[in-house]
């Protein structure tokens, strides 16, 4: 389909997101539960831009009894999971009853073979588990390409691979990557009858008001910058130092 057919800014608001959640037909489960059910929905979020937006969606999902898996990056350019505020947001997502996965960026490293891949995958898994005190049971690739998708086994480093051949062969898929519907509109997809589905969304796209994709990215960047500036001003005030402007 063309971009024109798949792009609708009104699809990417909190209000519309609640509409989508109410259209889920099959039970939402976590990835480690797929062998327990013949029919299921894997509701997945790759947090590329905004952990704040992720928390907002996580709350909406909790209120509608939807279980989701949130995949976090260790080397994101948009957020830092080691910052106290960001870590606390992720912990609230966990408290809402959702699962945490690893969003692995292949391009962060010079990976030339499977041994390299497993080393860095396990390296990131261990760091996140130690930081958040959770078990990471699933991972997804960030910006998957032919170099990453050749790793299509079900398990790597003790984690389920969301891009495993099993999912490609047995589970229907819909994604909102880059702020538009990659395959078909999610509302239409949810109206179809599928026994097993995997839905990928990116929380940064879903704002309170209608915005175009690049505007949402700018908002995430500027929001983080403004927040850091407020922290800088607050530190100077706390320690009674001059704030030279």
């Amino acid at each position: 389909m063309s971009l024109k057919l798949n792009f609708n800014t009104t699809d990417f608001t909190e209000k519309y997101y609640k509409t989508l959640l109410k259209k889920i037909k099959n039970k939402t489960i976590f990835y480690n539960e797929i062998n327990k059910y013949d029919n299921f929905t894997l509701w997945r979020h790759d947090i590329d831009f905004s952990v704040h937006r992720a928390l907002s969606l996580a709350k909406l999902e909790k209120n509608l009894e939807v279980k989701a898996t949130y995949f976090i990056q260790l080397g994101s350019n948009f957020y830092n999971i080691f910052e106290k505020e960001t870590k606390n947001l992720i912990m609230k997502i966990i408290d809402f009853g959702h699962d945490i996965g690893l969003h692995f960026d292949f391009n962060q490293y010079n990976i030339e073979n499977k041994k390299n891949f497993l080393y860095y995958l396990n390296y990131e898994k261990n760091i996140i588990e130690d930081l958040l005190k959770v078990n990471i049971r699933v991972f997804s690739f960030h910006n998957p390409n032919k170099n990453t998708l050749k790793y299509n086994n079900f398990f790597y480093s003790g984690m389920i691979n969301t891009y495993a051949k099993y999912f490609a062969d047995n589970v229907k898929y819909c994604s909102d990557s880059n702020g538009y519907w990659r395959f078909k509109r999610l509302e239409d997809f949810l109206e179809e009858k599928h026994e097993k589905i995997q839905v990928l969304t990116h929380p940064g796209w879903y704002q309170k008001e209608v915005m175009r994709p690049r505007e949402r990215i700018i908002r995430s960047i500027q929001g983080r910058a403004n927040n850091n500036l407020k922290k800088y001003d607050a530190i100077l005030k706390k320690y009674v130092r001059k704030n030279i402007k």
Side-chain angles (χ1 to χ4, degrees):
M1 293 184 179
S2 67
L3 174 59
K4 182 178 180 182
L5 292 176
N6 284 280
F7 179 65
N8 188 336
T9 54
T10 59
D11 283 2
F12 297 95
T13 62
E14 281 191 8
K15 181 179 179 180
Y16 189 76
Y17 186 75
K18 286 190 285 187
T19 299
L20 293 175
L21 294 178
K22 293 175 182 178
K23 290 184 177 292
I24 298 174
K25 292 183 173 64
N26 298 336
K27 181 180 180 66
T28 54
I29 66 169
F30 297 138
Y31 283 83
N32 63 309
E33 299 177 312
I34 61 175
N35 291 328
K36 299 179 182 179
Y37 302 95
D38 295 325
N39 303 293
F40 59 73
T41 294
L42 295 166
W43 201 263
R44 159 187 158 202
H45 301 283
D46 287 351
I47 307 180
D48 286 352
F49 313 115
S50 175
V51 182
H52 290 81
R53 288 282 83 215
L55 179 61
S56 294
L57 299 194
K59 185 176 182 179
L60 294 176
E61 292 158 354
K62 177 182 182 296
N63 292 338
L64 291 172
E65 299 183 340
V66 171
K67 294 167 62 173
T69 303
Y70 285 80
F71 292 80
I72 59 176
Q73 285 190 57
L74 190 61
S76 173
N77 292 324
F78 294 86
Y79 61 89
N80 179 359
I81 67 172
F82 296 98
E83 291 179 353
K84 183 178 179 179
E85 180 181 351
T86 301
K87 178 185 174 183
N88 288 342
L89 293 175
I90 296 172
M91 296 307 297
K92 287 180 181 179
I93 291 173
I94 295 171
D95 289 342
F96 282 155
H98 302 302
D99 204 11
I100 298 296
L102 167 63
H103 195 33
F104 185 74
D105 188 352
F106 214 84
N107 295 317
Q108 289 279 347
Y109 310 101
N110 184 24
I111 296 176
E112 298 179 344
N113 51 50
K114 183 178 179 181
K115 183 179 179 180
N116 294 152
F117 168 55
L118 293 178
Y119 173 83
Y120 288 112
L121 192 66
N122 202 55
Y123 167 75
E124 292 203 355
K125 173 190 176 186
N126 288 337
I127 289 175
I128 295 176
E129 286 186 334
D130 287 344
L131 179 68
L132 302 179
K133 307 305 179 187
V134 296
N135 292 321
I136 301 297
R137 301 175 291 195
V138 59
F139 77 95
S140 64
F141 288 118
H142 179 57
N143 291 332
N145 55 44
K146 64 179 182 180
N147 291 326
T148 58
L149 294 179
K150 67 183 179 183
Y151 296 102
N152 63 0
N153 290 347
F154 192 77
F155 282 112
Y156 290 101
S157 296
M159 295 180 289
I160 297 171
N161 173 18
T162 63
Y163 288 96
K165 188 175 186 297
Y166 164 82
F167 294 107
D169 292 345
N170 300 285
V171 182
K172 297 295 183 180
Y173 179 75
C174 189
S175 168
D176 68 357
S177 296
N178 303 115
Y180 62 91
W181 304 116
R182 292 289 298 278
F183 303 98
K184 61 175 60 179
R185 195 176 181 215
L186 181 52
E187 181 176 6
D188 297 335
F189 177 76
L190 292 173
E191 292 288 353
E192 298 170 355
K193 294 182 179 180
H194 300 299
E195 292 182 353
K196 303 174 181 180
I197 68 171
Q198 178 179 194
V199 173
L200 167 59
T201 69
H202 298 75
W205 299 139
Y206 299 87
Q207 304 286 341
K208 293 185 181 297
E209 66 270 11
V210 174
M211 302 176 72
R212 298 182 70 80
R214 195 167 187 274
E215 292 175 331
R216 301 180 198 128
I217 299 301
I218 292 172
R219 178 170 181 160
S220 293
I221 294 171
Q222 291 178 340
R224 177 170 168 78
N226 292 336
N227 190 39
N228 284 338
L229 186 57
K230 289 179 181 178
K231 290 178 181 177
Y232 171 78
D233 291 337
I235 288 173
L236 293 185
K237 183 177 180 179
K238 178 179 179 180
Y239 292 103
V240 195
R241 297 178 181 176
K242 292 186 180 297
N243 192 345
I244 302 173
K245 301 180 181 180

